[in-house]
Amino acid sequence: VCVFGINSAPATPINETHFSCVAPPSEEGSVIFYLRHRDRKVQADQIFLNFTYFAPCQLEASIPESGPALSQDPTSVRIVGTSICANPLIRFGSWNAVQVDRLSSTEIIVVPPPLPVGTLGISCSCNEGVDYHASPAKFWTFATSVIEDIWPSSGSEEGGTAVLVNMGSALADVGLQCMFGERSSAAKWLGGGVLQCIAPPQTPGNVTFSLQSDGNLFSLNTAVFIYESTLQVQAVFPSTASTSGGTTITLLASRFGDLRHACIFDGTHVSATRVTSSLLTCVAPAHPAGSVAMAVVHDGHTFDLSVSFQYVARIIIDSIYPLSLIHISEPTRPRLI
């Protein structure tokens, strides 16, 4: 049993040398703490300690009441209240203050950390962070960031597109969510004001792209992201190429997005050029004669083509004999060498 002055509480063993107990209510001040057996016997070598009960600090208001979110250079906040202990720890939501200066039992100056967008409760601890006491004081942060651009601005309906978001300036790394319409994806800071998020699967069409912090809109603006239908290649022409390579191949599809593309000939990647929204060209590489599998890389996804693509040996004419013909009723067959 844990004894706190005239009160007691059950002791729960953690291991052979440690116990845990919850302090019962008591008046403010110091009491004697010790352990005793349930039969109320106290060992001769029992150690007695001082345990201090303190009045929970009450934080009433913050001045100012708001500030910019994710600020790398936050403004000091003056917080007034009652029963503020000598060395308080202050927390905004679940984020610990960077610095706390106690002016009196009713006033402190606090430097908050970079905070997400939203309204955050301010709590206080007087026992090194073991207990935090909620208070009426609140601090709310507002968005100041602007999405300058996103790239690419379109992707496959299957998801998986890595989207880069340029915020223009470096910001603190507090968890953000990229919102593609109603679906979310965790944002990853790459540095220099640029973050990356992976587009989740979505039906084809336009969706609003935005950034959220703790469920609140983080940026002052939004962007548009286009989900495109899975690539459907309708035709490939010509369907043959010379074994020496160099043949320009044209692919026809319902839509090629404004993304990077590549053609694959039997595992060999070559760059592709988007001529129009429905035409793509690439130059076939050299390959031995025969039938090969062909595929297209679109927005990081590989699409196998159901076409029969053939490599054929190039015919080289060294000479023709005879070089001239007599016009007669029966045709003369020239001999190719």
Side-chain angles (χ1 to χ4, degrees), residues 294-330:
M294 188 176 175
V296 174
V297 178
H298 173 76
D299 187 24
H301 299 274
T302 300
F303 297 90
D304 295 326
L305 304 184
S306 57
V307 298
S308 177
F309 193 84
Q310 297 283 333
Y311 272 94
V312 295
R314 185 173 63 177
I315 299 176
I316 301 176
I317 300 176
D318 290 331
S319 62
I320 182 173
Y321 179 84
L323 297 177
S324 61
L325 297 176
I326 300 174
H327 180 70
I328 55 177
S329 59
E330 292 294 326

Side-chain angles (χ1 to χ4, degrees), residues 121-152:
I122 306 175
S123 55
C124 173
S125 174
C126 289
N127 57 354
E128 300 179 346
V130 176
D131 300 304
Y132 276 91
H133 297 277
S135 67
K138 305 290 183 183
F139 188 79
W140 66 273
T141 57
F142 48 85
T144 59
S145 300
V146 175
I147 299 174
E148 293 193 354
D149 60 73
I150 62 173
W151 188 90

Side-chain angles (χ1 to χ4, degrees), residues 150-156 159-165 176-187 195-203 205-212 222-227 299:
I150 62 173
W151 188 90
S153 59
S154 61
S156 170
T161 303
V163 180
L164 298 179
V165 185
L176 292 177
Q177 292 289 318
C178 297
M179 301 300 300
F180 295 80
E182 297 298 322
R183 307 200 64 180
S184 65
S185 171
L195 56 83
Q196 181 189 73
C197 40
I198 305 301
Q202 192 93 272
T203 55
N206 295 2
V207 298
T208 299
F209 175 88
S210 62
L211 292 174
Q212 286 193 3
T222 60
V224 175
F225 186 82
I226 304 171
Y227 276 95
D299 187 24

Side-chain angles (χ1 to χ4, degrees), residues 227-283:
Y227 276 95
E228 298 177 338
S229 301
T230 300
L231 183 66
Q232 296 289 338
V233 175
Q234 300 164 348
V236 176
F237 55 91
S239 59
T240 60
S242 169
T243 54
S244 60
T247 304
T248 299
I249 307 300
T250 301
L251 293 82
L252 173 65
S254 55
R255 177 178 172 80
F256 288 108
D258 188 14
L259 305 165
R260 294 177 180 176
H261 301 84
C263 297
I264 305 176
F265 295 84
D266 195 26
T268 300
H269 288 65
V270 295
S271 61
T273 300
R274 180 178 179 266
V275 180
T276 68
S277 61
S278 59
L279 290 179
L280 194 74
T281 62
C282 51
V283 178

